[in-house]
Amino acid sequence: MCGEQTWNTLVEAGFRLGDRFLYRRTPMQRGDDVADLQQRLCTLGFDAGRVDGIFGDGTSRALAEFQRNAGLPVDGIVGGATLGELLRLASRHHDPELISQVRARAERRGAPPTLSGRHVAVGEGGGLGSVTGALRRRLVLGGTRVTELHHPDDSAQAHDANALAVDVFVALRLNPSTSACRTAYWAGTHDESQGGRALAELVQRRLPGTLGIADGGSHGMALPILRETRMPAVLIEVGPASLVVERAAVLAETLAQALGHWADAAAD
């Protein structure tokens, strides 16, 4: 079915850099052309943040800094002159590492090697309140600050997590039609969340065996809940409902252990 999310993705994929003027506006511009812009800026050393195809404040700041360094009018707009300079300079570089990835690694290494004192958001869209509550109680015992998010809309949960500036976001989703566990982290064409991937893979190695359900694998995806969060985030989909509710405490304990190991590994 071609729903709203599928349609928006198709529209975004139709834009190429130079097809339109790009600038910071509300609602924010989205598309493959924005991702191309972000990738080029990060390649040149101007940190636009995650290469997610969303023209937000980080992209606007990086673009202005690029224009200033290139001797262009600093208007925050990708027009003909700015695009030409981007293409000219980017042609001198061959697959260098993105500055956003370097920054993300440095932030993870600089984070405390424990969850104690850190802020974790746990979100669910319905049916998993007992699990989020059990996970919150388990983490709080270890000195972690936990905020539960129960809004049914993924974008609203991402917005709340960003506003709270949490250190990591765990989204739980119930799939009544399956008896499996699968995890997802944010990944786009040019970039991915390294912290999100590490956490997703940790959870995926532990949870299916603990619950006695099938291993659905760990995947990089561009879902709104992952794309719009500004911190490491993981989406965990589990089922069936009867097993998840019955073993809520076990599920929460396993997730808490995975989060603890994730924090430890980040400092290595």
Side-chain angles (χ1 to χ4, degrees), residues 147-162:
T147 299
E148 292 185 49
L149 303 174
H150 297 282
H151 200 288
D153 181 73
D154 284 356
S155 291
Q157 286 194 20
H159 176 271
D160 290 344
N162 291 337

Side-chain angles (χ1 to χ4, degrees), residues 10-249:
L10 285 169
V11 171
E12 291 179 17
F15 289 114
R16 295 291 177 268
L17 192 59
D19 287 350
R20 55 178 176 167
F21 289 109
L22 295 177
Y23 55 95
R24 176 69 170 91
R25 71 176 195 189
T26 303
M28 291 180 281
Q29 290 179 304
R30 300 176 179 228
D32 284 9
D33 54 345
V34 177
D36 192 358
L37 168 66
Q38 293 169 327
Q39 190 267 341
R40 291 175 185 273
L41 287 170
C42 286
T43 293
L44 294 170
F46 300 95
D47 191 356
R50 181 184 290 175
V51 183
D52 55 9
I54 304 175
F55 199 117
D57 293 334
T59 304
S60 181
R61 287 191 294 268
L63 176 61
E65 188 63 22
F66 168 77
Q67 290 176 325
R68 189 176 296 110
N69 278 266
L72 297 165
V74 183
D75 57 8
I77 301 173
V78 180
T82 296
L83 177 60
E85 194 66 8
L86 271 170
L87 297 176
R88 184 181 70 82
L89 292 174
S91 66
R92 303 178 182 178
H93 297 74
H94 301 286
D95 298 323
E97 189 170 31
L98 300 178
I99 190 174
S100 57
Q101 294 175 340
V102 175
R103 172 183 50 76
R105 275 204 307 275
E107 288 176 351
R108 287 199 70 207
R109 286 197 298 267
T114 174
L115 284 177
S116 180
R118 302 178 75 177
H119 192 178
V120 176
V122 183
E124 62 94 24
L128 291 177
S130 61
V131 178
T132 59
L135 180 57
R136 176 182 57 78
R137 291 189 294 272
R138 170 62 176 77
L139 291 173
V140 167
L141 287 175
T144 305
R145 180 185 174 194
V146 181
T147 299
E148 292 185 49
L149 303 174
H150 297 282
H151 200 288
D153 181 73
D154 284 356
S155 291
Q157 286 194 20
H159 176 271
D160 290 344
N162 291 337
L164 291 167
V166 301
D167 297 297
V168 60
F169 178 55
V170 177
L172 299 172
R173 296 294 180 268
L174 180 63
N175 187 341
S177 63
T178 186
S179 180
C181 169
R182 68 172 183 170
T183 57
Y185 55 91
W186 182 83
T189 305
H190 305 287
D191 198 2
E192 70 175 25
S193 171
Q194 299 167 0
R197 178 172 186 167
L199 178 55
E201 291 176 348
L202 267 172
V203 171
Q204 195 64 45
R205 284 198 296 268
R206 293 167 174 266
L207 201 53
T210 301
L211 294 181
I213 56 180
D215 186 340
S218 183
H219 311 276
M221 303 183 75
L223 298 169
I225 194 81
L226 302 171
R227 181 185 185 188
E228 296 172 15
T229 41
R230 302 270 70 83
M231 71 292 300
V234 60
L235 173 64
I236 305 167
E237 184 180 272
V238 291
S242 57
L243 178 64
V244 171
V245 173
E246 176 186 336
R247 309 202 65 187

